Amino acid sequence: GIAVGMATEIPSHNLTEVAQAARLMLENPETTLDEILAVMPGPDFATGGQIISTPEEIRDVYATGRGSVRVRARYTFEDLARGQWRLVVTQLPPNTSSQKVLSEIEDLTNPKVKVGKKVLSAEQQQTRAAMLSMLEAVRDESGKTEDVRLVFEPKSKNQDRDEFVRTLLSKTSMEGNVPVNLVFVGLDGKPRQKALTEILAEWVAFRIQTVRRRTQYRLEKALDRIHILEGRKLVFLNLEDVIALIRESDDPKVALMAKYPLSERQADDILEIRLRQLARLEGIRIEAELSELQKTREKLEDLLGNEKRLTALISREIAQDAQNYGDERRTLIEADSQTRVDKKIVDEPVTVIVSKMGYLRQRTGHGHDASIMNYRANDAFAVSFECRTTDTLVAFGSTGRVYSIPVANLPNAKGDGQYVTNFTELEPGEKILHYLQASEDATVLIATSAGSGLVCEFKDLISKIRTGKAFIKLEKGDTVLAPQVVTSDRPLVAALSEGGRLLIFPAQDVRRLPKGGQGVTLMDLGSREKLLAIATVSEAGLTVSGTGRGGKDREERIRRAKFEKYLGNRARKGKVLEIHFKATQLTALGGSEVFDDTAEDEPQAPETNLDLL
């Protein structure tokens, strides 16, 4: 990683391919990403494996500098006697080992109860049963002859091979994503996420700069040596005079520089020469070395003065390094779809029953009276949904998260059902407040006690993970109200405040947020006032229910004659209900009911406030 909180994930690549890409960029700085990918199609891992991401997905990763590639283990089938066979894995994805795969198989076939749970979850039990029904044995035969050799033996020779492989790949790390995060420290010294073309261009520029500095350094060394040898050559031409001058002079260095055109560097070198270096043979060597250095100087000066020659030199050096240290690609790149084990579900009508304590179950067919079914002690019926086995039940948590529960995973109605935490992983202290089931394209209205709300489609609430997803933004002390489905028969929203005010407005005025959030204001509330309930209604009217004197349940219908009084725009205060009990709930009246606009409600006996008296 890089400092200041930045991370980098750069997968390994093939040296030969990288060298080809660098030479392309060196020869043509305008080389496109597609031209680079033609010679360097993707990462190359030391462990081999197969990259199953499509070329388009790989290109997007290199174009943006961020993403992931999906890598799968490579395997073969070995046929044995009497029709028997076995699966042999010979290459694994990066960051995966034979020991890790064996450990994962052990966890699947012999799962442990999760922390905070008392029994195995339904998913753990289903996975365990599936693995034990198809896998007879697994062993690691890796050794000197083969780096990786994992052998999987099926329970039966009649086992479907493709299904056998799909199950193992989807349940273990033999197939997974390898993250890519191309964060580099560039020539400007700053870490930044960059595209592949930008990285190669900066490296080529850095390499040109490096080779230029190296050439300049070698030229300076050659010139310095030439300077020394020219001084020695002058000494050999006047050897007798130089020896006499050194012998008779009090300061030989100054005397030499005064009599001969020598620099201080040359004079120091002459005075440090040993006597044996004054032989005639040494003079011949000086002439030869001087001649060679002159050629080197001309060559280096030509490189520094000719950009094309310098580029050609760098290209040859890169090619030579690739030849010396490069090898063949180990990772196969062949696009394929992600491995999934789809559970075969029979599409049939069912009724989902939810108890007040949060126990879930399903019963085949529609039209059941769930209130008369048996429940656990101190438990009772809460809500039921008529749907199909291919549908999804959504649970709303107290923290604003939503959880998806496939209806097909629910137990049958013979027992008392299973608790909701067997199908979800709630956050600490979180509780499930509401449940909802609808068609995927159904419009759902979600509101909070703070008076805000949003509209989305039911499919926006569905997630594929047990931990759900954060969808509704809540402030401290706020709660999620029961979600409502908006239909063409019920296009209006009725909002009831804690102060007994009612506001009715069109549902189309509420903002649609597919990814969730805080939403918009549904009703203008007073200080410390809460929104008690919402309902989607039609012009047929609605029922206001609550608690009267003595704790008795009371209700009153707002019919068409009074309905228009509470109509208004979203985010208004609404009108105070003309009732004599504390309203807590709203219910829509069915559109099929026929009401007389001129009919009056049955008179309600006014309540007496004893405390006030």
Side-chain angles (χ1 to χ4, degrees):
I2 298 174
V4 299
M6 300 189 72
T8 177
E9 293 279 355
I10 304 174
S12 59
H13 288 74
N14 184 270
L15 177 60
T16 303
E17 296 175 355
V18 173
Q20 291 177 344
R23 293 179 67 189
L24 274 179
M25 185 62 70
L26 180 66
E27 295 167 3
N28 179 19
E30 302 299 325
T31 301
T32 64
L33 179 59
D34 292 328
E35 292 173 338
I36 292 175
L37 293 179
V39 297
M40 192 180 78
D44 186 25
F45 304 106
T47 56
Q50 175 186 350
I51 295 177
I52 61 174
S53 299
T54 63
E56 292 76 17
E57 292 172 340
I58 297 175
R59 188 187 187 284
D60 289 341
V61 171
Y62 285 128
T64 60
R66 189 176 185 87
S68 63
V69 292
R70 193 157 187 86
V71 187
R72 175 186 296 169
R74 299 188 69 180
Y75 56 87
T76 58
F77 291 103
E78 292 184 355
D79 294 322
L80 306 176
R82 299 178 181 178
Q84 300 290 337
W85 57 272
R86 61 188 178 187
L87 174 70
V88 179
V89 175
T90 56
Q91 293 182 3
L92 293 171
N95 303 323
T96 301
S97 63
S98 301
Q99 190 61 38
K100 182 179 180 180
V101 174
L102 293 178
S103 177
E104 291 169 343
I105 296 294
E106 173 65 20
D107 292 339
L108 292 172
T109 55
N110 188 22
K112 296 178 176 59
V113 178
K114 295 182 179 180
V115 178
K117 307 291 183 180
K118 295 182 179 180
V119 295
L120 296 175
S121 66
E123 183 180 1
Q124 286 178 306
Q125 295 175 5
Q126 293 172 0
T127 303
R128 179 177 181 272
M131 292 297 294
L132 292 177
S133 66
M134 60 178 285
L135 184 62
E136 176 67 26
V138 56
R139 59 183 178 273
D140 183 10
E141 296 183 357
S142 306
K144 294 182 179 179
T145 56
E146 294 182 87
D147 294 334
V148 176
R149 182 177 169 83
L150 280 174
V151 179
F152 298 87
E153 295 184 356
K155 203 83 171 179
S156 168
K157 65 180 181 181
N158 298 323
Q159 173 76 38
D160 184 85
R161 297 190 181 191
D162 292 337
E163 183 181 357
F164 186 75
V165 172
R166 284 198 303 269
T167 302
L168 291 174
L169 292 178
S170 62
K171 298 297 183 181
T172 66
S173 58
M174 289 192 292
E175 179 177 321
N177 291 324
V178 176
V180 179
N181 185 17
L182 303 181
V183 175
F184 277 78
V185 178
L187 295 177
D188 56 359
K190 298 178 181 179
R192 186 168 61 85
Q193 193 174 89
K194 302 179 181 181
L196 179 60
T197 51
E198 190 176 0
I199 293 169
L200 286 174
E202 287 201 26
W203 184 87
V204 166
F206 172 75
R207 186 61 187 168
I208 292 174
Q209 182 184 10
T210 301
V211 174
R212 187 181 296 278
R213 289 165 57 190
R214 182 190 70 187
T215 305
Q216 184 65 40
Y217 175 79
R218 290 177 178 176
L219 177 60
E220 291 174 358
K221 286 292 184 181
L223 292 175
D224 181 69
R225 184 62 178 169
I226 289 173
H227 185 62
I228 294 296
L229 293 177
E230 286 176 344
R232 291 185 180 184
K233 181 179 179 181
L234 182 61
V235 168
F236 275 97
L237 294 176
N238 303 277
L239 185 59
E240 298 296 335
D241 293 340
V242 170
I243 293 175
L245 182 63
I246 294 174
R247 183 182 300 169
E248 297 172 0
S249 176
D250 294 333
D251 192 349
K253 179 178 178 180
V254 175
L256 283 172
M257 293 175 63
K259 186 173 182 179
Y260 300 103
L262 297 174
S263 66
E264 185 176 350
R265 176 102 166 82
Q266 289 173 321
D268 288 336
D269 178 72
I270 291 170
L271 293 174
E272 292 174 0
I273 292 177
R274 297 180 180 180
L275 291 176
R276 64 183 178 184
Q277 291 180 283
L278 300 178
R280 182 179 179 185
L281 184 60
E282 188 66 23
I284 297 174
R285 290 176 180 173
I286 290 174
E287 286 288 348
E289 184 180 356
L290 193 59
S291 175
E292 189 66 29
L293 286 173
Q294 292 291 357
K295 295 178 182 179
T296 302
R297 182 185 67 178
E298 293 175 0
K299 182 179 178 181
L300 295 176
E301 288 177 345
D302 184 53
L303 276 176
L304 292 174
N306 192 321
E307 193 71 25
K308 289 185 178 181
R309 289 183 182 274
L310 185 66
T311 301
L313 172 64
I314 297 173
S315 181
R316 288 196 302 271
E317 290 179 348
I318 294 174
Q320 187 62 44
D321 289 339
Q323 183 179 352
N324 294 339
Y325 307 107
D327 59 358
E328 296 294 328
R329 166 172 281 276
R330 302 183 185 183
T331 303
L332 173 67
I333 299 180
E334 186 176 306
D336 197 0
S337 59
Q338 180 178 343
T339 303
R340 289 188 176 91
V341 179
D342 297 327
K343 183 179 178 181
K344 297 179 181 179
I345 301 173
V346 179
D347 186 2
E348 58 183 1
V350 292
T351 301
V352 175
I353 302 104
V354 183
S355 73
K356 290 185 177 180
M357 294 177 63
Y359 285 87
L360 312 177
R361 49 183 163 165
Q362 59 160 308
R363 186 171 182 177
T364 304
H366 292 167
H368 302 294
D369 186 0
S371 61
I372 63 175
M373 293 183 180
N374 294 327
Y375 295 89
R376 291 171 177 262
N378 301 322
D379 198 4
F381 168 73
V383 65
S384 64
F385 301 97
E386 292 185 347
C387 54
R388 305 192 71 83
T389 51
T390 55
D391 292 333
T392 302
L393 178 70
V394 172
F396 293 78
S398 57
T399 62
R401 298 185 71 86
V402 291
Y403 301 88
S404 301
I405 305 172
V407 172
N409 292 348
L410 299 179
N412 57 43
K414 292 181 179 179
D416 297 327
Q418 292 185 358
Y419 194 53
V420 64
T421 54
N422 287 335
F423 310 98
T424 59
E425 293 183 11
L426 305 182
E427 293 188 341
E430 186 179 19
K431 296 181 179 179
I432 298 297
L433 301 180
H434 312 288
Y435 297 86
L436 181 65
Q437 202 293 310
S439 60
E440 288 193 352
D441 57 352
T443 301
V444 180
L445 171 66
I446 305 173
T448 69
S449 59
S452 60
L454 58 90
V455 164
C456 66
E457 291 186 350
F458 183 76
K459 63 183 178 182
D460 298 329
L461 302 170
I462 298 175
S463 62
K464 296 182 180 180
I465 55 178
R466 291 168 57 89
T467 55
K469 62 180 179 180
F471 198 82
I472 308 151
K473 185 177 180 181
L474 297 175
E475 300 294 338
K476 186 176 181 180
D478 294 342
T479 58
V480 181
L481 302 183
Q484 304 292 321
V485 177
V486 181
T487 64
S488 58
D489 295 335
R490 295 179 180 178
L492 302 175
V493 178
L496 175 65
S497 74
E498 200 173 36
R501 291 181 288 109
L502 178 66
L503 174 65
I504 302 174
F505 57 90
Q508 63 183 11
D509 293 347
V510 183
R511 186 178 179 184
R512 185 177 293 271
L513 296 175
K515 295 184 179 180
Q518 187 173 4
V520 295
T521 301
L522 301 182
M523 188 176 189
D524 185 11
L525 302 175
S527 177
R528 298 184 180 180
E529 188 180 16
K530 299 290 185 181
L531 187 65
L532 288 184
I534 60 168
T536 53
V537 299
S538 66
E539 294 182 356
L542 70 153
T543 300
V544 180
S545 57
T547 306
R549 187 172 58 185
K552 294 182 179 180
D553 294 335
R554 300 286 298 276
E555 67 176 32
E556 181 165 335
R557 293 182 175 181
I558 307 297
R559 298 180 176 177
R560 294 176 181 174
K562 298 180 180 180
F563 192 82
E564 294 182 358
K565 177 181 178 180
Y566 302 101
L567 287 174
N569 295 325
R570 179 184 62 80
R572 298 300 176 90
K573 287 185 175 295
K575 299 289 182 66
V576 177
L577 285 166
E578 297 177 354
I579 57 176
H580 303 287
F581 59 90
K582 184 178 180 180
T584 58
Q585 192 62 42
L586 300 175
T587 308
L589 291 177
S592 60
E593 297 184 40
V594 179
F595 299 99
D596 184 359
D597 290 347
T598 61
E600 296 183 357
D601 295 334
E602 296 180 3
Q604 300 282 352
E607 292 188 343
T608 304
N609 192 327
L610 299 180
D611 293 336
L612 181 60
L613 291 177

